[in-house]
Amino acid sequence: MRVVILRRSKQLVLVLLSVFGLWLGVIVMNGKLPSHHVSLVFNQKTDDSFPANAGTEKYLPEKSITTLETEQTQRKKLAKEVCTLSQKKPNLDSVIKDRVLLDHIIVDEEHRLLYCYVPKVACTNWKRLLMVLMGKANTTNPLAIVADDSHRLNVFRRLDNYTGEEIRYRLDHFMKFMFIRHPFERLVSAFRNKFGQNSSSADYFRSRYGRQIIKQYRTNASEESLSRGHDVTFREFVQYIIDPRTVARANFNEHWRPMVDLCLPCTIQYNVIGKYESLMDDAWLVLEKANLNQKVSFPRSDRPSSTNSLVEEYTKHLTREELLHLYHIYEMDFRLFDYHSPGFD
């Protein structure tokens, strides 16, 4: 009798184990438990080292929408006042005639958006977000898009690709927005990114600009520095920017071109002028005005830029005359967007 009971107990245990194994297999197949493959996807390092589900959480602004709207009214009022007093105010007819001036304005036809991107002012994440919105990526997570992919020339259609009549219609009927940053903070960020990092982009800038800068502004430069352009100092970089020969020769590279030259805020009346310092709230406002907050969220970073604290460290090596010349290069950015220059407060 005991032998029979023991055998039946063993059989029951084997049956239960078989059922449990089948159940576990179904769960893994349905993705309810992390298999090794899924684990690799979630641990895959994106361009900004964020987890794969970053940027998808809904963001609620710290300020009320009334406060955000009031800030926009004040920013646009100041911009209009400064533009009125400025001699540098191209009219729309001349801008349309020289359409290359509109090459930084991305057009989203479906959502009726015009975004003027300013390099070093969160433009990578804005481009990623627009790729998701416009169906140009096989993901709904902006941060899963490789940064280089968002900067490829043919990803977006720019406003300069339209006829004059089409440009006017979109400027009148689409929501227009741009984001700004303290001019010197943006400049330091561009210098660190394009001359200090180990990347193919930095290699290009060191070869294209670094060697020229060292040759022009460094006494007794070594052969290695002249051939590689790898050790440009911030002061040499500034000397290159403020040199009248540089200013007269051609437009600055987009990474250090004044924001007013990139987006023409004295010609184009933007609906939202966002600031890098209030990036998340202002990005939320853009999406709210476009009725897109239920579809997407602007990617959130838990690692804010440290460039702001480095501006004084970098600019302290400049003479007062160099600092003054640099301020004059970006004077309209300072005045139009209500920023204060180090050393002139």
Side-chain angles (χ1 to χ4, degrees):
M1 184 68 178
R2 289 180 180 175
V3 173
V4 173
I5 293 174
L6 183 60
R7 286 177 179 173
R8 289 182 177 177
S9 298
K10 289 182 177 179
Q11 290 172 350
L12 181 60
V13 169
L14 289 173
V15 170
L16 289 173
L17 287 173
S18 299
V19 172
F20 178 76
L22 289 171
W23 174 78
L24 186 62
V26 170
I27 289 178
V28 171
M29 289 294 289
N30 288 332
K32 292 182 180 179
L33 276 178
S35 66
H36 292 298
H37 174 73
V38 174
S39 177
L40 286 172
V41 171
F42 278 110
N43 290 330
Q44 186 176 2
K45 186 177 180 182
T46 64
D47 179 72
D48 288 314
S49 304
F50 288 100
N53 63 344
T56 59
E57 300 173 6
K58 294 300 178 186
Y59 175 79
L60 294 177
E62 296 179 1
K63 301 173 184 176
S64 69
I65 190 168
T66 303
T67 300
L68 293 174
E69 291 280 19
T70 299
E71 288 178 347
Q72 286 302 312
T73 300
Q74 293 170 345
R75 288 175 195 172
K76 288 184 281 188
K77 180 175 181 290
L78 175 63
K80 186 176 181 179
E81 290 172 352
V82 174
C83 288
T84 300
L85 298 173
S86 172
Q87 301 297 319
K88 191 176 183 180
K89 185 181 178 182
N91 62 56
L92 186 56
D93 290 336
S94 64
V95 168
I96 290 177
K97 188 175 181 179
D98 187 11
R99 288 176 201 164
V100 69
L101 296 171
L102 301 171
D103 68 344
H104 273 65
I105 300 180
I106 292 172
V107 181
D108 178 351
E109 292 285 350
E110 180 182 354
H111 304 99
R112 299 172 73 85
L113 297 175
L114 297 179
Y115 165 53
C116 183
Y117 69 91
V118 177
K120 308 314 300 175
V121 192
C123 75
T124 299
N125 279 347
W126 268 116
K127 288 180 178 180
R128 286 165 161 165
L129 187 67
L130 288 173
M131 287 180 71
V132 170
L133 275 174
M134 299 164 72
K136 294 179 178 291
N138 58 357
T139 178
T140 58
N141 174 18
L143 291 175
I145 300 171
V146 177
D148 285 348
D149 289 346
S150 70
H151 297 305
R152 299 191 190 283
L153 287 177
N154 297 324
V155 173
F156 301 106
R157 192 173 181 187
R158 316 296 174 91
L159 196 58
D160 63 328
N161 295 141
Y162 291 80
T163 66
E165 183 179 349
E166 291 170 336
I167 290 171
R168 290 181 188 277
Y169 177 85
R170 281 153 185 77
L171 288 174
D172 287 340
H173 295 91
F174 284 24
M175 196 186 83
K176 305 170 289 294
F177 68 99
M178 64 177 291
F179 275 73
I180 56 176
R181 187 178 189 176
H182 188 290
F184 285 0
E185 183 181 335
R186 176 174 169 249
L187 192 66
V188 169
S189 178
F191 172 75
R192 286 164 55 84
N193 180 246
K194 298 306 178 186
F195 293 96
Q197 290 191 356
N198 183 22
S199 66
S200 58
S201 175
D203 288 342
Y204 166 78
F205 275 81
R206 285 189 284 262
S207 176
R208 170 68 178 81
Y209 296 99
R211 294 186 301 173
Q212 175 188 346
I213 290 172
I214 290 171
K215 180 180 179 180
Q216 191 73 41
Y217 305 103
R218 185 181 301 179
T219 304
N220 299 323
S222 68
E223 288 298 324
E224 182 183 16
S225 295
L226 289 170
S227 64
R228 294 178 58 194
H230 66 294
D231 56 352
V232 176
T233 67
F234 184 69
R235 187 181 182 191
E236 290 168 340
F237 176 56
V238 169
Q239 288 173 329
Y240 163 75
I241 288 177
I242 64 177
D243 191 326
R245 293 170 294 182
T246 304
V247 177
R249 186 162 50 242
N251 284 333
F252 285 168
N253 178 276
E254 63 175 0
H255 290 86
W256 50 85
R257 194 181 308 167
M259 294 178 283
V260 294
D261 292 343
L262 290 172
C263 294
L264 308 175
C266 287
T267 305
I268 299 171
Q269 306 304 307
Y270 287 90
N271 301 96
V272 176
I273 299 175
K275 284 199 169 190
Y276 190 80
E277 296 81 1
S278 52
L279 175 61
M280 291 305 300
D281 277 8
D282 290 344
W284 179 90
L285 182 64
V286 169
L287 297 175
E288 182 70 12
K289 282 179 168 290
N291 296 315
L292 293 171
N293 264 330
Q294 298 306 313
K295 289 187 177 182
V296 291
S297 290
F298 189 79
R300 188 176 345 189
S301 170
D302 294 326
R303 301 176 303 162
S305 170
S306 61
T307 309
N308 182 48
S309 60
L310 295 173
V311 171
E312 186 175 351
E313 178 183 337
Y314 276 81
T315 56
K316 72 181 181 182
H317 299 292
L318 305 178
T319 67
R320 183 169 179 80
E321 184 180 5
E322 289 168 341
L323 198 60
L324 183 61
H325 280 304
L326 192 63
Y327 171 79
H328 284 317
I329 295 289
Y330 298 98
E331 183 175 4
M332 280 294 287
D333 283 350
F334 277 102
R335 294 174 55 208
L336 202 73
F337 303 128
D338 196 26
Y339 285 113
H340 300 284
S341 168
F344 299 104
D345 296 338

